[in-house]
Amino acid sequence: MKNRDFDSWLSGFRESIADYGYYINFEKVHRNVDNIKVELNILNSLIGSKNIESDFENLVNKYPEVLKCIPLLLAVRAKEIYAIDSEGEFTYNFKKPNLSVEQYKVFMRKTGLFDLIENHIVNNLVDYATGVETGLDSNGRKNRGGHLMENLVESFIKKAGFIKDKTYFKEMYIHQITEKWNIDLSAISNQGKTEKRFDYVVKTPNMIYGIETNFYGGGGSKLNETARSYKTLALETDTIDGFTFVWFTDGKGWTSARHNLEETFDVMEHIYSIADLESKTINELFEEK
């Protein structure tokens, strides 16, 4: 299979493998909002308030639990928020209040939340929080993108007849591989000092395959780093009898790191794209020499 032309191979890389669930995980969005829905509705009573500072103080004194909603209104996941200005520096705890109500009023005023609420800029804090959660969840696309490639490769592994936890294994560490099949992997673990984890491990009668998967829709320095590290890994595993490193990668992001990828392609036998997966069975890809 090393008769392949790199430029031709790279030209077949995909723009995207996004499915419908890639963009926003609405189940998670609604679950997170539901967890504070009661408190948000209590805060809704402040919308349009003519005396928001005193109304906020009365509300917090009566329902201190409403404070836990505040970080989300600023698109912050943490329960503590640090702030500093000419009047001092403060760490506000919104799960276990640690400052006076007066100081929390300062926070609400200086962050602009009082203005947001009293001037009817929003009409419903539950709806507003849902929008904020949706925005925050969009940050998870990178992780979901990685899982998309993992899931795609796993579907082909299953299609080839391999059975999970019997002939293929997900997220397996070097020490687990060593213990399960009594194979010496010290060449890739720096004599046991590093603990690498493979996305998948496939076991055939004559070989153990350690598999990495990734998809890069955009460029960046990480791609060069990945290509170099996988080149090193491929060269190290060549010295181990009974073990083969396999890399499934794709994505137009590689165009910006094509030279590093080509260097790895030149020395690595088992490097494949989605097009390779679609044109051959996993068994054929693994067994080709």
Side-chain angles (χ1 to χ4, degrees), residues 38-39 42-43 45-46 53-67 97 101:
V38 171
E39 291 79 9
I42 293 173
L43 279 178
S45 65
L46 296 176
E53 297 216 9
S54 60
D55 288 346
F56 175 80
E57 183 173 347
N58 292 334
L59 200 66
V60 170
N61 285 331
K62 191 171 183 180
Y63 304 105
E65 64 272 18
V66 299
L67 287 175
V101 176

Side-chain angles (χ1 to χ4, degrees), residues 9-66:
W9 182 68
L10 183 64
S11 70
F13 278 24
R14 311 291 172 86
E15 292 281 354
S16 174
I17 53 171
D19 60 13
Y20 292 104
Y22 165 76
Y23 298 98
I24 296 294
N25 182 348
F26 278 110
E27 183 180 343
K28 179 184 173 186
V29 168
H30 295 313
R31 184 172 64 248
N32 288 346
V33 174
D34 281 345
N35 286 338
I36 55 171
K37 198 170 189 176
V38 171
E39 291 79 9
L40 286 169
N41 275 313
I42 293 173
L43 279 178
N44 269 337
S45 65
L46 296 176
I47 291 177
S49 169
K50 301 300 183 184
N51 302 291
I52 194 158
E53 297 216 9
S54 60
D55 288 346
F56 175 80
E57 183 173 347
N58 292 334
L59 200 66
V60 170
N61 285 331
K62 191 171 183 180
Y63 304 105
E65 64 272 18
V66 299

